[in-house]
Amino acid sequence: VVVYNRQNCCPDRIDGATVYVGGEYCGTIRYTQGRVIYSIDCNKAIGGDVTITQPDNYLTLCEVKVYGEKDNTLISPGRRTEQSSTAHNGVSSRAVDCITDGHYSNGNSCTHSQSIANNWWRVYLDSDYAVSKVVVYNRQDCCQERIDGATVYVGGEYCGTIRYTQGRVIYSIDCNKAIGGDVAITQSHNYLTLCEVKVYGEKDNTLISPGRRTEQSSTGHGGDSSRGVVGKNDDKKSSVWIEVKKPGTYKAKKGYMVIYCFKGMN
């Protein structure tokens, strides 16, 4: 966010102006004599609005330029959820109700676990998505530090861990397009309260290999090449077996090739 300050008088009034994206803190302007343009790095913060506040003086803005790109689709609202336990009516679905109010008693919008340890919360996406990031809204009225150490997973793949920062409400975890059909948040050593969880991503590429015609260089132990595209991951019943003394070539038609190196081979 780039802010152009007033030049003809009173330029010092800009000192302390603070920039937010979707309620998430970006940075604070510190006045420098002779400087007109101030650039605040928002580190790809996600939001539908940009706000500039000035608590201690008049606020004059001669231009505000916001640079960014449209984020991936928000895919979590209204999805099926569950959690390890529930207390104080803090049901799991509250985290995907699009209400981000962090005051527990205000809008009944936060979840709450019953146990103080080994807690988890999960949202089901109903099909595989490439998840870019997970944004967690923390409780604000008390106990904010309980979020420290909460860990985010996509389809069982680790994305990141939240580290509590005093005064911070929104935590964004980069999942680097991890692919999965669910997002889970775990908290092993404290209560787990989530006031909103926003999952951003896009549909994963279509699976095109199951049932295609296949062939392989040779076959051993009944390991027919078609077993490689039956849509199962059972290594005892659906594996192909290439009986050669070096890595074999497994080929599915339509130009797709996979090289399998079995245990014991270099």
Side-chain angles (χ1 to χ4, degrees):
V1 177
V2 180
V3 176
Y4 289 72
N5 195 20
R6 183 172 180 175
Q7 297 182 58
N8 62 332
C9 90
C10 331
D12 55 300
R13 290 178 180 173
I14 200 69
D15 187 67
T18 303
V19 179
Y20 298 86
V21 172
E24 181 174 351
Y25 173 79
C26 287
T28 300
I29 294 173
R30 293 306 175 195
Y31 170 68
T32 302
Q33 188 173 3
R35 188 173 182 182
V36 176
I37 304 171
Y38 295 85
S39 181
I40 300 295
D41 184 2
C42 290
N43 195 30
K44 295 187 177 180
I46 296 172
D49 63 85
V50 173
T51 302
I52 300 176
T53 66
Q54 174 52 288
D56 303 317
N57 215 323
Y58 295 102
L59 180 60
T60 299
L61 304 169
C62 294
E63 186 70 18
V64 177
K65 294 184 176 180
V66 180
Y67 295 86
E69 54 190 21
K70 194 171 180 63
D71 193 50
N72 287 330
T73 305
L74 178 61
I75 58 178
S76 50
R79 298 282 190 180
R80 182 168 61 92
T81 61
E82 62 177 350
Q83 61 189 11
S84 52
S85 62
T86 301
H88 309 292
N89 297 315
V91 295
S92 64
S93 60
R94 287 183 174 184
V96 292
D97 61 1
C98 296
I99 302 173
T100 60
D101 187 350
H103 295 80
Y104 199 87
S105 60
N106 277 2
N108 297 323
S109 67
C110 301
T111 71
H112 201 302
S113 68
Q114 185 175 40
S115 173
I116 198 171
N118 301 317
N119 294 300
W120 55 265
W121 175 93
R122 179 177 288 109
V123 58
Y124 293 95
L125 306 177
D126 297 330
S127 61
D128 281 349
Y129 281 81
V131 176
S132 59
K133 63 178 62 180
V134 176
V135 180
V136 177
Y137 289 71
N138 194 21
R139 183 173 180 174
Q140 297 182 58
D141 57 338
C142 88
C143 328
Q144 296 95 328
E145 71 282 355
R146 291 177 179 173
I147 200 69
D148 186 66
T151 303
V152 178
Y153 298 86
V154 172
E157 181 178 346
Y158 173 79
C159 285
T161 300
I162 293 173
R163 294 302 175 195
Y164 169 68
T165 302
Q166 188 173 5
R168 188 172 183 182
V169 176
I170 305 170
Y171 296 85
S172 181
I173 300 295
D174 185 3
C175 290
N176 197 29
K177 295 189 177 180
I179 296 173
D182 66 87
V183 172
I185 300 175
T186 66
Q187 175 55 286
S188 61
H189 60 271
N190 215 324
Y191 294 102
L192 180 59
T193 296
L194 304 167
C195 293
E196 189 71 15
V197 177
K198 294 184 177 181
V199 180
Y200 294 86
E202 52 193 17
K203 276 274 192 181
D204 189 36
N205 290 332
T206 305
L207 180 62
I208 59 175
S209 54
R212 296 282 189 179
R213 184 166 62 90
T214 61
E215 63 179 358
Q216 62 190 18
S217 54
S218 62
T219 301
H221 306 282
D224 186 75
S225 66
S226 62
R227 286 186 174 184
V229 290
V230 295
K232 297 179 180 179
N233 300 321
D234 186 344
D235 62 359
K236 295 181 179 179
K237 297 181 179 180
S238 63
S239 301
V240 301
W241 187 285
I242 303 171
E243 195 166 23
V244 290
K245 294 183 179 180
K246 60 182 180 179
T249 300
Y250 175 85
K251 181 166 64 176
K253 293 298 183 181
K254 297 291 184 183
Y256 291 87
M257 183 174 289
V258 182
I259 307 298
Y260 287 83
C261 295
F262 292 93
K263 290 182 179 179
M265 294 184 177
N266 295 320

